Amino acid sequence: MWEENWETVMMFQRMSTQWSISMGGYVGLKYEVLLGAGGLMSLYDVNDPREMLEGLQVMESTALAELNKKK
């Protein structure tokens, strides 16, 4: 893993309990927890919110593919 991705990885870890789930499986992260007033972006003083969000979306899409695999 590259050092420049560390903050995004840590934010993804903080969001680990914030998944929306339906009867069909995992849907995605609850972005209101991240972006809302007093959310994690402001709580952790994220310098570049757009870059963080884009990195989280890449991680989210990869995680969703794994989480929703049929066994």
Side-chain angles (χ1 to χ4, degrees):
M1 176 175 57
W2 295 297
E3 187 175 322
E4 64 266 18
N5 296 321
W6 184 247
E7 290 303 318
T8 304
V9 170
M10 292 307 298
M11 187 64 77
F12 189 75
Q13 179 62 35
R14 291 179 192 115
M15 293 287 293
S16 67
T17 61
Q18 301 302 318
W19 288 94
S20 294
I21 303 171
S22 73
M23 292 177 65
Y26 289 85
V27 178
L29 291 171
K30 297 178 183 174
Y31 286 100
E32 62 272 17
V33 173
L34 184 68
L35 302 170
L40 292 176
M41 287 275 202
S42 61
L43 181 65
Y44 288 94
D45 296 320
V46 173
N47 291 331
D48 189 345
R50 178 176 290 195
E51 182 180 337
M52 175 71 72
L53 182 60
E54 290 172 355
L56 288 171
Q57 289 172 326
V58 169
M59 295 180 73
E60 175 190 36
S61 66
T62 302
L64 284 171
E66 289 299 313
L67 290 168
N68 289 324
K69 272 186 180 176
K70 302 295 181 203
K71 295 184 180 178

